[in-house]
């Protein structure tokens, strides 16, 4: 592993925060997609559209 010296905690913490944000964005995207899919299906049923 790369020797980070006295900055190891800061660098690893920054990597951790970045990874957490990326995972959060992926989760948010999947959640919103699922929610929009349900809304679209409900709207199509209301309008009688065969989707």
């Amino acid at each position: 592993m790369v020797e980070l010296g006295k900055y190891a905690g800061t660098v690893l913490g920054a990597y951790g925060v970045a990874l957490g944000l990326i995972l959060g964005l992926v989760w948010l995207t999947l959640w919103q997609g699922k929610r929009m899919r349900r809304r679209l299906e409900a709207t199509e049923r209301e309008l009688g559209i065969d989707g």
Side-chain angles (χ1 to χ4, degrees):
M1 182 165 180
V2 178
E3 179 60 39
L4 300 174
K6 66 179 183 174
Y7 301 108
T10 303
V11 171
L12 294 176
Y15 276 123
V17 169
L19 181 61
L21 289 172
I22 290 170
L23 291 175
L25 287 172
V26 168
W27 176 82
L28 181 63
T29 300
L30 294 173
W31 177 72
Q32 286 180 333
K34 184 177 179 180
R35 187 172 57 123
M36 288 297 114
R37 192 176 310 113
R38 285 193 310 255
R39 289 180 65 187
L40 176 60
E41 289 171 355
T43 301
E44 286 177 342
R45 276 193 306 272
E46 287 176 13
L47 297 176
I49 299 173
D50 195 17

